[in-house]
């Protein structure tokens, strides 16, 4: 069974803290994605990766960075968390070029105080 | 700039009704149009998808209608059930680019028993 797991379901951090969100997939997928989901805005792409050590900016990369040191793991980093980064963060993965389906993790609800 | 426009934002129907969710796009390079279903506390999951060479696709009670000339597509749920209550996202993939999906803003569907 296809599985994407995220390290935390809920996270509370303080403004200015460095935050790490981890995502692991067990399907040997080439592509991995980080989205944030906000009411009325849908899913917005933050960063994505096609291969190990490779990353590309999505639509809203400001304030975020990513790391992909191993194929199965994709980390989202908030260098200095701010209150406007309070959101639901979703990780997804998919097979390589041409395939459409993305498989999502359950999400991490991050609150920045 | 929203590449895929989705409406309505929310929808309430009686059990047995046929909710219809509409999406529109401008980019003629899109070549894959999936719908994702998201239950509370879960990540989105692929429900049904269509490619632009067909005008309709049915899977069980779910049907996608696709109008290539109008650049619109819609999801119909036949004989809707309370268990269909969820948030639905349309999306589109660009054939020229990577495996990115551009998501609509989502429709929260409530089916009343």
């Amino acid at each position: 069974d296809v599985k994407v797991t995220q390290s935390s379901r809920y996270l509370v951090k303080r403004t200015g803290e460095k935050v790490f969100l981890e995502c692991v997939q067990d399907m040997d997928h080439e592509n991995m994605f980080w989205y944030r989901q906000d009411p009325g805005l849908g899913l917005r792409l933050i960063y994505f990766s096609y291969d190990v050590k490779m990353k590309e900016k999505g639509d809203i990369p400001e304030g975020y960075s990513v790391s992909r040191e191993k194929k199965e793991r994709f980390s989202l980093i908030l260098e200095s968390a701010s209150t406007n980064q309070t959101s639901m963060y979703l990780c997804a993965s998919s097979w390589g070029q041409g395939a459409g389906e993305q498989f999502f993790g359950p999400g991490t609800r991050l609150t920045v105080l | 700039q929203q590449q895929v426009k989705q409406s309505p934002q929310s929808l309430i129907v009686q059990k047995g009704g046929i909710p219809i969710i509409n999406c529109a796009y401008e980019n003629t390079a899109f070549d894959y149009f999936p719908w994702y279903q998201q239950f509370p506390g879960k990540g989105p999951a692929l429900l049904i998808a269509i490619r632009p060479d067909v005008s309709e696709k049915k899977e069980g009670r779910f049907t996608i209608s696709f109008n290539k000339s109008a650049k619109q597509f819609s999801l119909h749920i036949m004989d809707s059930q309370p268990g269909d209550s969820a948030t639905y996202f349309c999306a589109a993939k660009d054939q020229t680019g990577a495996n990115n999906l551009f998501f609509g803003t989502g429709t929260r569907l409530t089916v009343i028993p």
Side-chain angles (χ1 to χ4, degrees):
Chain A
D1 197 17
V2 161
K3 201 149 190 180
V4 178
T5 56
Q6 295 183 229
S7 51
S8 305
R9 293 302 302 272
Y10 300 94
L11 210 51
V12 179
K13 295 291 181 181
R14 298 215 172 267
T15 301
E17 280 193 80
K18 190 168 185 175
V19 181
F20 292 87
L21 302 182
E22 301 280 337
C23 175
V24 177
Q25 51 96 2
D26 66 358
M27 298 159 283
D28 201 34
H29 284 165
E30 290 83 3
N31 305 320
M32 295 190 75
F33 307 83
W34 276 107
Y35 296 89
R36 64 178 281 175
Q37 180 178 7
D38 300 288
L41 297 177
L43 279 68
R44 294 181 293 166
L45 183 64
I46 305 172
Y47 266 98
F48 56 98
S49 169
Y50 299 134
D51 202 350
V52 175
K53 296 192 187 294
M54 178 275 173
K55 60 186 178 185
E56 292 284 344
K57 292 180 180 178
D59 297 323
I60 52 165
E62 296 78 19
Y64 303 94
S65 62
V66 290
S67 172
R68 192 168 181 199
E69 296 296 318
K70 293 185 177 181
K71 190 176 185 180
E72 68 271 17
R73 189 178 297 269
F74 193 34
S75 302
L76 180 69
I77 303 156
L78 287 66
E79 293 290 341
S80 178
S82 63
T83 55
N84 62 13
Q85 292 178 310
T86 291
S87 186
M88 171 68 81
Y89 290 88
L90 290 163
C91 175
S93 69
S94 72
W95 284 286
Q97 281 283 357
E101 182 174 5
Q102 291 186 14
F103 295 86
F104 284 83
T108 295
R109 183 164 294 283
L110 172 67
T111 302
V112 183
L113 301 175
Chain B
Q1 182 186 354
Q2 196 71 33
Q3 296 237 20
V4 180
K5 296 188 172 145
Q6 183 172 348
S7 63
Q9 191 170 3
S10 63
L11 194 51
I12 301 173
V13 299
Q14 296 276 356
K15 177 184 172 184
I18 307 175
I20 301 172
I21 304 170
N22 300 298
C23 287
Y25 64 97
E26 287 298 326
N27 187 346
T28 54
F30 287 154
D31 70 340
Y32 172 75
F33 301 88
W35 285 88
Y36 281 76
Q37 180 187 53
Q38 184 181 30
F39 293 106
K42 304 281 188 184
L46 179 67
L47 181 63
I48 186 173
I50 197 168
R51 296 207 180 263
D53 52 346
V54 297
S55 61
E56 187 177 275
K57 183 172 181 181
K58 285 185 183 180
E59 286 186 7
R61 294 183 295 107
F62 299 91
T63 299
I64 300 178
S65 297
F66 187 83
N67 186 329
K68 189 173 181 178
S69 60
K71 294 199 281 282
Q72 294 175 349
F73 58 111
S74 59
L75 177 70
H76 302 232
I77 305 175
M78 309 301 289
D79 187 28
S80 59
Q81 301 296 313
D84 297 329
S85 297
T87 299
Y88 293 82
F89 294 96
C90 61
K93 185 176 83 69
D94 186 341
Q95 66 181 337
T96 64
N99 204 14
N100 298 4
L101 287 175
F102 296 93
F103 283 88
T105 50
T107 297
R108 178 175 284 186
L109 173 66
T110 303
V111 181
I112 300 169

